mmCIF file of all heavy atoms in Angstrom:
data_model
loop_
_atom_site.group_PDB
_atom_site.id
_atom_site.type_symbol
_atom_site.label_atom_id
_atom_site.label_comp_id
_atom_site.label_asym_id
_atom_site.label_seq_id
_atom_site.Cartn_x
_atom_site.Cartn_y
_atom_site.Cartn_z
ATOM 1 N N GLU Z 1287 11.029 12.618 -0.152
ATOM 2 C CA GLU Z 1287 11.265 14.058 -0.043
ATOM 3 C C GLU Z 1287 12.287 14.517 -1.070
ATOM 4 O O GLU Z 1287 12.141 15.592 -1.651
ATOM 5 C CB GLU Z 1287 11.748 14.394 1.374
ATOM 6 C CG GLU Z 1287 11.993 15.877 1.596
ATOM 7 C CD GLU Z 1287 12.352 16.203 3.028
ATOM 8 O OE1 GLU Z 1287 12.268 15.296 3.887
ATOM 9 O OE2 GLU Z 1287 12.716 17.365 3.305
ATOM 10 N N PHE Z 1288 13.315 13.706 -1.301
ATOM 11 C CA PHE Z 1288 14.352 14.053 -2.283
ATOM 12 C C PHE Z 1288 14.256 13.058 -3.443
ATOM 13 O O PHE Z 1288 14.868 11.990 -3.421
ATOM 14 C CB PHE Z 1288 15.738 14.008 -1.638
ATOM 15 C CG PHE Z 1288 15.842 14.856 -0.396
ATOM 16 C CD1 PHE Z 1288 15.924 14.259 0.855
ATOM 17 C CD2 PHE Z 1288 15.847 16.235 -0.480
ATOM 18 C CE1 PHE Z 1288 16.025 15.032 2.000
ATOM 19 C CE2 PHE Z 1288 15.937 17.023 0.665
ATOM 20 C CZ PHE Z 1288 16.024 16.418 1.906
ATOM 21 N N LYS Z 1289 13.522 13.425 -4.463
ATOM 22 C CA LYS Z 1289 13.246 12.499 -5.560
ATOM 23 C C LYS Z 1289 14.481 12.209 -6.412
ATOM 24 O O LYS Z 1289 14.539 11.186 -7.102
ATOM 25 C CB LYS Z 1289 12.130 13.063 -6.431
ATOM 26 C CG LYS Z 1289 10.784 13.155 -5.700
ATOM 27 C CD LYS Z 1289 9.687 13.630 -6.630
ATOM 28 C CE LYS Z 1289 8.362 13.691 -5.902
ATOM 29 N NZ LYS Z 1289 7.247 14.129 -6.775
ATOM 30 N N ASP Z 1290 15.458 13.124 -6.383
ATOM 31 C CA ASP Z 1290 16.652 12.929 -7.211
ATOM 32 C C ASP Z 1290 17.779 12.246 -6.449
ATOM 33 O O ASP Z 1290 18.902 12.134 -6.953
ATOM 34 C CB ASP Z 1290 17.140 14.270 -7.759
ATOM 35 C CG ASP Z 1290 17.421 15.275 -6.650
ATOM 36 O OD1 ASP Z 1290 16.974 15.053 -5.512
ATOM 37 O OD2 ASP Z 1290 18.090 16.299 -6.930
ATOM 38 N N PHE Z 1291 17.503 11.764 -5.221
ATOM 39 C CA PHE Z 1291 18.526 11.094 -4.421
ATOM 40 C C PHE Z 1291 18.265 9.593 -4.469
ATOM 41 O O PHE Z 1291 17.271 9.103 -3.935
ATOM 42 C CB PHE Z 1291 18.481 11.607 -2.972
ATOM 43 C CG PHE Z 1291 19.613 11.109 -2.119
ATOM 44 C CD1 PHE Z 1291 20.917 11.519 -2.338
ATOM 45 C CD2 PHE Z 1291 19.372 10.203 -1.097
ATOM 46 C CE1 PHE Z 1291 21.958 11.063 -1.545
ATOM 47 C CE2 PHE Z 1291 20.397 9.740 -0.291
ATOM 48 C CZ PHE Z 1291 21.698 10.165 -0.516
ATOM 49 N N GLU Z 1292 19.156 8.857 -5.125
ATOM 50 C CA GLU Z 1292 18.912 7.443 -5.400
ATOM 51 C C GLU Z 1292 18.899 6.569 -4.155
ATOM 52 O O GLU Z 1292 18.286 5.496 -4.151
ATOM 53 C CB GLU Z 1292 19.972 6.918 -6.372
ATOM 54 C CG GLU Z 1292 19.928 7.568 -7.750
ATOM 55 C CD GLU Z 1292 20.981 6.988 -8.675
ATOM 56 O OE1 GLU Z 1292 21.787 6.151 -8.199
ATOM 57 O OE2 GLU Z 1292 20.995 7.358 -9.863
ATOM 58 N N ASN Z 1293 19.579 6.981 -3.091
ATOM 59 C CA ASN Z 1293 19.706 6.128 -1.905
ATOM 60 C C ASN Z 1293 18.632 6.359 -0.843
ATOM 61 O O ASN Z 1293 18.782 5.923 0.293
ATOM 62 C CB ASN Z 1293 21.086 6.330 -1.281
ATOM 63 C CG ASN Z 1293 22.209 5.874 -2.187
ATOM 64 O OD1 ASN Z 1293 22.071 4.883 -2.909
ATOM 65 N ND2 ASN Z 1293 23.320 6.596 -2.176
ATOM 66 N N SER Z 1294 17.563 7.056 -1.201
ATOM 67 C CA SER Z 1294 16.481 7.295 -0.247
ATOM 68 C C SER Z 1294 15.848 5.980 0.207
ATOM 69 O O SER Z 1294 15.630 5.071 -0.614
ATOM 70 C CB SER Z 1294 15.395 8.175 -0.862
ATOM 71 O OG SER Z 1294 15.860 9.497 -1.054
ATOM 72 N N VAL Z 1295 15.572 5.878 1.513
ATOM 73 C CA VAL Z 1295 14.884 4.701 2.035
ATOM 74 C C VAL Z 1295 13.490 4.604 1.438
ATOM 75 O O VAL Z 1295 13.028 3.530 1.031
ATOM 76 C CB VAL Z 1295 14.803 4.751 3.573
ATOM 77 C CG1 VAL Z 1295 14.056 3.537 4.110
ATOM 78 C CG2 VAL Z 1295 16.194 4.822 4.180
ATOM 79 N N MET Z 1296 12.778 5.729 1.379
ATOM 80 C CA MET Z 1296 11.466 5.754 0.749
ATOM 81 C C MET Z 1296 11.628 5.886 -0.759
ATOM 82 O O MET Z 1296 12.332 6.774 -1.243
ATOM 83 C CB MET Z 1296 10.618 6.906 1.288
ATOM 84 C CG MET Z 1296 9.252 7.032 0.607
ATOM 85 S SD MET Z 1296 8.276 8.464 1.154
ATOM 86 C CE MET Z 1296 7.533 7.811 2.633
ATOM 87 N N LYS Z 1297 10.997 4.997 -1.489
ATOM 88 C CA LYS Z 1297 11.032 5.025 -2.943
ATOM 89 C C LYS Z 1297 9.714 5.568 -3.493
ATOM 90 O O LYS Z 1297 8.698 5.580 -2.795
ATOM 91 C CB LYS Z 1297 11.283 3.616 -3.495
ATOM 92 C CG LYS Z 1297 12.548 2.956 -2.978
ATOM 93 C CD LYS Z 1297 13.809 3.717 -3.352
ATOM 94 C CE LYS Z 1297 15.061 3.018 -2.864
ATOM 95 N NZ LYS Z 1297 16.296 3.773 -3.181
ATOM 96 N N ASP Z 1298 9.755 5.994 -4.730
ATOM 97 C CA ASP Z 1298 8.542 6.486 -5.387
ATOM 98 C C ASP Z 1298 7.739 5.282 -5.879
ATOM 99 O O ASP Z 1298 8.123 4.627 -6.851
ATOM 100 C CB ASP Z 1298 8.928 7.394 -6.556
ATOM 101 C CG ASP Z 1298 7.753 8.242 -7.020
ATOM 102 O OD1 ASP Z 1298 6.605 7.835 -6.792
ATOM 103 O OD2 ASP Z 1298 7.982 9.322 -7.592
ATOM 104 N N VAL Z 1299 6.630 4.986 -5.191
ATOM 105 C CA VAL Z 1299 5.832 3.798 -5.511
ATOM 106 C C VAL Z 1299 4.349 4.157 -5.482
ATOM 107 O O VAL Z 1299 3.896 4.919 -4.620
ATOM 108 C CB VAL Z 1299 6.080 2.657 -4.491
ATOM 109 C CG1 VAL Z 1299 5.332 1.396 -4.908
ATOM 110 C CG2 VAL Z 1299 7.563 2.378 -4.343
ATOM 111 N N SER Z 1300 3.597 3.617 -6.420
ATOM 112 C CA SER Z 1300 2.140 3.746 -6.409
ATOM 113 C C SER Z 1300 1.524 2.354 -6.483
ATOM 114 O O SER Z 1300 2.137 1.419 -7.018
ATOM 115 C CB SER Z 1300 1.650 4.607 -7.580
ATOM 116 O OG SER Z 1300 2.019 4.006 -8.815
ATOM 117 N N ALA Z 1301 0.323 2.213 -5.944
ATOM 118 C CA ALA Z 1301 -0.307 0.890 -5.884
ATOM 119 C C ALA Z 1301 -1.814 0.997 -6.050
ATOM 120 O O ALA Z 1301 -2.456 1.875 -5.442
ATOM 121 C CB ALA Z 1301 0.032 0.199 -4.562
ATOM 122 N N TYR Z 1302 -2.369 0.115 -6.862
ATOM 123 C CA TYR Z 1302 -3.815 -0.061 -6.988
ATOM 124 C C TYR Z 1302 -4.178 -1.421 -6.397
ATOM 125 O O TYR Z 1302 -3.489 -2.415 -6.657
ATOM 126 C CB TYR Z 1302 -4.259 -0.012 -8.452
ATOM 127 C CG TYR Z 1302 -4.172 1.351 -9.096
ATOM 128 C CD1 TYR Z 1302 -3.035 1.744 -9.788
ATOM 129 C CD2 TYR Z 1302 -5.242 2.238 -9.012
ATOM 130 C CE1 TYR Z 1302 -2.954 2.989 -10.386
ATOM 131 C CE2 TYR Z 1302 -5.176 3.493 -9.611
ATOM 132 C CZ TYR Z 1302 -4.032 3.860 -10.291
ATOM 133 O OH TYR Z 1302 -3.961 5.103 -10.888
ATOM 134 N N THR Z 1303 -5.251 -1.471 -5.626
ATOM 135 C CA THR Z 1303 -5.685 -2.727 -5.023
ATOM 136 C C THR Z 1303 -7.185 -2.894 -5.198
ATOM 137 O O THR Z 1303 -7.963 -1.969 -4.919
ATOM 138 C CB THR Z 1303 -5.347 -2.786 -3.523
ATOM 139 O OG1 THR Z 1303 -3.942 -2.604 -3.348
ATOM 140 C CG2 THR Z 1303 -5.758 -4.122 -2.927
ATOM 141 N N LEU Z 1304 -7.582 -4.071 -5.650
ATOM 142 C CA LEU Z 1304 -8.993 -4.440 -5.758
ATOM 143 C C LEU Z 1304 -9.256 -5.576 -4.776
ATOM 144 O O LEU Z 1304 -8.563 -6.594 -4.802
ATOM 145 C CB LEU Z 1304 -9.334 -4.884 -7.188
ATOM 146 C CG LEU Z 1304 -10.767 -5.379 -7.420
ATOM 147 C CD1 LEU Z 1304 -11.766 -4.252 -7.177
ATOM 148 C CD2 LEU Z 1304 -10.924 -5.924 -8.832
ATOM 149 N N GLY Z 1305 -10.230 -5.398 -3.906
ATOM 150 C CA GLY Z 1305 -10.504 -6.398 -2.890
ATOM 151 C C GLY Z 1305 -11.918 -6.922 -2.947
ATOM 152 O O GLY Z 1305 -12.850 -6.213 -3.330
ATOM 153 N N LEU Z 1306 -12.080 -8.181 -2.574
ATOM 154 C CA LEU Z 1306 -13.394 -8.822 -2.483
ATOM 155 C C LEU Z 1306 -13.448 -9.586 -1.171
ATOM 156 O O LEU Z 1306 -12.543 -10.365 -0.858
ATOM 157 C CB LEU Z 1306 -13.618 -9.775 -3.659
ATOM 158 C CG LEU Z 1306 -14.972 -10.494 -3.701
ATOM 159 C CD1 LEU Z 1306 -16.106 -9.488 -3.898
ATOM 160 C CD2 LEU Z 1306 -14.989 -11.542 -4.816
ATOM 161 N N THR Z 1307 -14.504 -9.346 -0.397
ATOM 162 C CA THR Z 1307 -14.610 -9.951 0.927
ATOM 163 C C THR Z 1307 -15.993 -10.548 1.127
ATOM 164 O O THR Z 1307 -16.992 -9.977 0.690
ATOM 165 C CB THR Z 1307 -14.361 -8.904 2.041
ATOM 166 O OG1 THR Z 1307 -13.073 -8.323 1.857
ATOM 167 C CG2 THR Z 1307 -14.439 -9.546 3.416
ATOM 168 N N LYS Z 1308 -16.033 -11.704 1.787
ATOM 169 C CA LYS Z 1308 -17.294 -12.291 2.227
ATOM 170 C C LYS Z 1308 -17.277 -12.312 3.753
ATOM 171 O O LYS Z 1308 -16.500 -13.031 4.379
ATOM 172 C CB LYS Z 1308 -17.451 -13.713 1.677
ATOM 173 C CG LYS Z 1308 -18.658 -14.460 2.252
ATOM 174 C CD LYS Z 1308 -19.975 -13.724 2.034
ATOM 175 C CE LYS Z 1308 -21.161 -14.510 2.598
ATOM 176 N NZ LYS Z 1308 -22.442 -13.761 2.496
ATOM 177 N N TYR Z 1309 -18.121 -11.471 4.350
ATOM 178 C CA TYR Z 1309 -18.270 -11.436 5.798
ATOM 179 C C TYR Z 1309 -19.315 -12.469 6.202
ATOM 180 O O TYR Z 1309 -20.507 -12.304 5.921
ATOM 181 C CB TYR Z 1309 -18.699 -10.043 6.263
ATOM 182 C CG TYR Z 1309 -17.685 -8.963 6.000
ATOM 183 C CD1 TYR Z 1309 -17.755 -8.162 4.848
ATOM 184 C CD2 TYR Z 1309 -16.660 -8.718 6.900
ATOM 185 C CE1 TYR Z 1309 -16.828 -7.164 4.612
ATOM 186 C CE2 TYR Z 1309 -15.718 -7.715 6.666
ATOM 187 C CZ TYR Z 1309 -15.809 -6.943 5.525
ATOM 188 O OH TYR Z 1309 -14.892 -5.951 5.282
ATOM 189 N N ILE Z 1310 -18.861 -13.527 6.834
ATOM 190 C CA ILE Z 1310 -19.768 -14.599 7.239
ATOM 191 C C ILE Z 1310 -20.395 -14.285 8.598
ATOM 192 O O ILE Z 1310 -21.579 -14.485 8.816
ATOM 193 C CB ILE Z 1310 -19.020 -15.940 7.284
ATOM 194 C CG1 ILE Z 1310 -18.434 -16.240 5.891
ATOM 195 C CG2 ILE Z 1310 -19.937 -17.071 7.739
ATOM 196 C CD1 ILE Z 1310 -17.505 -17.420 5.860
ATOM 197 N N LYS Z 1311 -19.590 -13.781 9.494
ATOM 198 C CA LYS Z 1311 -20.081 -13.278 10.771
ATOM 199 C C LYS Z 1311 -19.297 -12.018 11.117
ATOM 200 O O LYS Z 1311 -18.458 -11.994 12.006
ATOM 201 C CB LYS Z 1311 -19.934 -14.323 11.878
ATOM 202 C CG LYS Z 1311 -20.667 -13.906 13.150
ATOM 203 C CD LYS Z 1311 -20.564 -14.937 14.251
ATOM 204 C CE LYS Z 1311 -21.342 -14.444 15.476
ATOM 205 N NZ LYS Z 1311 -21.224 -15.361 16.618
ATOM 206 N N GLY Z 1312 -19.600 -10.964 10.381
ATOM 207 C CA GLY Z 1312 -18.871 -9.720 10.553
ATOM 208 C C GLY Z 1312 -17.393 -9.936 10.333
ATOM 209 O O GLY Z 1312 -16.965 -10.733 9.490
ATOM 210 N N ASN Z 1313 -16.576 -9.229 11.093
ATOM 211 C CA ASN Z 1313 -15.128 -9.398 11.009
ATOM 212 C C ASN Z 1313 -14.642 -10.652 11.717
ATOM 213 O O ASN Z 1313 -13.469 -10.986 11.646
ATOM 214 C CB ASN Z 1313 -14.429 -8.175 11.618
ATOM 215 C CG ASN Z 1313 -14.224 -7.069 10.590
ATOM 216 O OD1 ASN Z 1313 -13.508 -7.225 9.617
ATOM 217 N ND2 ASN Z 1313 -14.893 -5.955 10.827
ATOM 218 N N ASN Z 1314 -15.534 -11.338 12.422
ATOM 219 C CA ASN Z 1314 -15.132 -12.501 13.208
ATOM 220 C C ASN Z 1314 -14.872 -13.731 12.348
ATOM 221 O O ASN Z 1314 -14.016 -14.548 12.667
ATOM 222 C CB ASN Z 1314 -16.203 -12.820 14.249
ATOM 223 C CG ASN Z 1314 -16.446 -11.648 15.184
ATOM 224 O OD1 ASN Z 1314 -15.522 -10.929 15.527
ATOM 225 N ND2 ASN Z 1314 -17.697 -11.442 15.563
ATOM 226 N N LEU Z 1315 -15.596 -13.850 11.268
ATOM 227 C CA LEU Z 1315 -15.409 -14.981 10.348
ATOM 228 C C LEU Z 1315 -15.591 -14.448 8.934
ATOM 229 O O LEU Z 1315 -16.694 -14.059 8.541
ATOM 230 C CB LEU Z 1315 -16.428 -16.089 10.644
ATOM 231 C CG LEU Z 1315 -16.260 -17.395 9.868
ATOM 232 C CD1 LEU Z 1315 -14.907 -18.029 10.167
ATOM 233 C CD2 LEU Z 1315 -17.390 -18.368 10.192
#
């Protein structure tokens, strides 16, 4: 909320994520 306040608990961060999944038996395996 306060970008110019250095001691903020929340920091300005961005993230990119690429995922690959093999569902063998749905979410169960």
Side-chain angles (χ1 to χ4, degrees):
E1287 181 175 352
F1288 306 108
K1289 295 184 179 181
D1290 57 344
F1291 188 68
E1292 296 181 355
N1293 295 324
S1294 291
V1295 179
M1296 177 184 277
K1297 304 298 182 182
D1298 196 336
V1299 185
S1300 61
Y1302 290 92
T1303 303
L1304 177 64
L1306 181 65
T1307 302
K1308 172 57 179 175
Y1309 296 95
I1310 301 171
K1311 190 179 181 183
N1313 272 296
N1314 301 324
L1315 186 61

